[in-house]
Amino acid sequence: MDEKELVRCFYETLVSQNRLEELPRFLAEDCRFRSGERLLPMGISGMREHLLAVRKTYPDYTMRIIRQHLAGPYVISEFVMEGTHLGEFCGIAPSGRRLSFTGVDIDRVEGGRIVEHGGAVNTFDTLLAHGLIRGVTEQEGSL
């Protein structure tokens, strides 16, 4: 499996089918999470916790890669994540709605495993479109 195939399989198979027992096959034990310019320890246990937390909010969520690019050891994946909002998220009560989010993940692959993970999901657009949060009007935003 090349780097792009490995990352696609990670998201579309392992993550989408909640096959967390396979994490060691895809993720290095010392995998780090990139947050801006910082690299934070994550490892397999941190990724497991993250995926379980997302699954609490969206128990049936799946990820589908729509486009990928390879830049050296980095795989950039644009994705669509879909799931039913059945758990609280950042103080937002479960809506029971099927939601669709877009996002981009950037994973560095070395030795056949993901050694660095980072990315962003466009939660604001989806939550606003479904009325789960409200935007600030010009009048509310003025001082």
Side-chain angles (χ1 to χ4, degrees):
M1 218 180 320
D2 69 20
E3 290 87 350
K4 286 167 57 176
E5 290 171 319
L6 178 120
V7 170
R8 179 181 296 275
C9 188
F10 174 73
Y11 291 114
E12 291 186 346
T13 302
L14 183 144
V15 171
S16 292
Q17 296 175 14
N18 199 31
R19 293 164 51 173
L20 302 186
E21 69 281 358
E22 294 183 40
L23 277 171
R25 183 175 149 212
F26 292 89
L27 213 66
E29 182 60 49
D30 60 349
C31 183
R32 297 179 294 171
F33 174 74
R34 178 166 292 281
S35 177
E37 295 180 348
R38 299 181 310 154
L39 279 174
L40 307 168
M42 177 178 62
I44 292 170
S45 62
M47 178 62 85
R48 180 178 286 112
E49 285 180 39
H50 167 69
L51 295 173
L52 288 171
V54 175
R55 190 89 30 208
K56 282 182 183 177
T57 303
Y58 307 99
D60 61 349
Y61 88 96
T62 60
M63 292 182 70
R64 181 173 45 87
I65 303 297
I66 56 176
R67 198 171 12 237
Q68 283 184 306
H69 303 282
L70 188 62
Y74 292 93
V75 178
I76 301 134
S77 303
E78 185 179 355
F79 64 85
V80 174
M81 183 190 108
E82 296 177 310
T84 309
H85 181 212
L86 297 178
E88 184 180 329
F89 174 73
C90 295
I92 300 170
S95 67
R97 294 183 185 163
R98 181 106 178 131
L99 302 178
S100 181
F101 301 90
T102 59
V104 175
D105 277 337
I106 302 172
D107 296 289
R108 184 164 54 98
V109 176
E110 288 182 3
R113 288 193 171 73
I114 298 168
V115 297
E116 181 183 314
H117 167 77
V121 179
N122 299 320
T123 54
F124 180 81
D125 293 342
T126 299
L127 297 177
L128 184 63
H130 286 271
L132 300 174
I133 60 173
R134 57 184 202 102
V136 176
T137 64
E138 284 185 38
Q139 188 175 17
E140 290 173 312
S142 63
L143 297 176

